[in-house]
Amino acid sequence: IAGITQAPTSQILAAGRRMTLRCTQDMRHNAMYWYRQDLGLGLRLIHYSNTAGTTGKGEVPDGYSVSRANTDDFPLTLASAVPSQTSVYFCASSVLAGEDNEQFFGPGTRLTVL
Amino acid sequence: QKEVEQDPGPLSVPEGAIVSLNCTYSNSAFQYFMWYRQYSRKGPELLMYTYSSGNKEDGRFTAQVDKSSKYISLFIRDSQPSDSATYLCFTSGTYKYIFGTGTRLKVLA
């Protein structure tokens, strides 16, 4: 089934630990995105990638890094997790980068940092 | 000031009611507007997409954009319990992708 998969589904993490959230799409979309969703704040863009080999910073990039080695995978890394990074993380993709493109979302990863 | 403001709700309506969901935005450079629907513990999915001012209809759903007042709306006619979800407005500019905070809707049978 075509779409976006995210792993893990949920995770509890000790503060200071390193964590990588995985995202894979099989739709051959060029652009990919990482958002975090928090109550009262909605979805906020962390990082994006317009095409394989390129990445850019979104609204809330501090404490996160991404890489885009190929078209399908877009992992998000927390180098040293802090409790304020407790959130639901969504990966998304679109056929092309740009403001008029529908974004397709994965099921999300629920992360708790203690 | 947030670039997109959305009433958070929650909103509870009886089945069959007309629902109005609204957002305002501040940047006149924003040209594209979308509404996403998000069911509990799921990722958002696109519901409606508009570019110009005016109305766009799709079944029971109508999206309205008024660029002069920077106001976007989603109307749901004959609401159903299956419409119970969080509705997120979305707009975008050059490398800017901005969601509203979402309005949680519950349609009571």
Side-chain angles (χ1 to χ4, degrees), chain A:
Chain A
I1 299 175
I4 297 181
T5 56
Q6 291 185 239
T9 302
S10 64
Q11 182 75 46
I12 299 173
L13 189 67
R17 298 297 294 268
R18 180 184 179 90
M19 176 75 191
T20 295
L21 307 185
R22 299 186 298 279
C23 174
T24 300
Q25 54 103 359
D26 62 1
M27 299 177 284
R28 308 303 294 172
H29 284 178
N30 284 293
M32 297 188 75
Y33 315 84
W34 273 106
Y35 292 89
R36 59 178 290 174
Q37 186 171 35
D38 303 287
L39 198 62
L41 297 175
L43 281 153
R44 293 179 293 167
L45 182 67
I46 305 171
H47 285 287
Y48 64 90
S49 169
N50 289 338
T51 189
T54 70
T55 62
K57 292 181 179 180
E59 182 185 353
V60 288
D62 294 343
Y64 305 95
S65 63
V66 291
S67 61
R68 187 89 184 275
N70 58 60
T71 297
D72 298 343
D73 301 298
F74 191 43
L76 176 74
T77 297
L78 289 67
S80 179
V82 296
S84 61
Q85 292 177 311
T86 293
S87 187
V88 181
Y89 290 85
F90 287 100
C91 179
S93 70
S94 60
V95 174
L96 296 171
E99 50 202 280
D100 60 339
N101 282 273
E102 175 184 0
Q103 295 186 20
F104 295 82
F105 284 80
T109 293
R110 294 183 169 268
L111 181 68
T112 302
V113 182
L114 301 175

Side-chain angles (χ1 to χ4, degrees), chain B residues 17-80:
Chain B
I18 297 173
V19 177
S20 171
L21 305 168
N22 307 294
C23 289
T24 59
Y25 64 96
S26 58
N27 191 336
S28 57
F30 293 151
Q31 298 292 320
Y32 299 91
F33 306 92
M34 301 181 188
W35 284 94
Y36 282 79
R37 178 174 60 194
Q38 185 177 22
Y39 290 111
S40 180
R41 304 184 81 88
K42 303 283 189 185
E45 56 183 1
L46 182 67
L47 186 62
M48 297 285 286
Y49 162 58
T50 56
Y51 168 65
S52 57
S53 282
N55 294 351
K56 181 176 181 181
E57 194 171 315
D58 184 2
R60 296 183 295 108
F61 299 90
T62 300
Q64 188 175 78
V65 176
D66 182 344
K67 289 187 175 180
S68 63
S69 60
K70 300 189 184 69
Y71 201 82
I72 53 177
S73 300
L74 178 71
F75 299 96
I76 307 174
R77 291 185 301 280
D78 188 24
S79 56
Q80 303 295 308

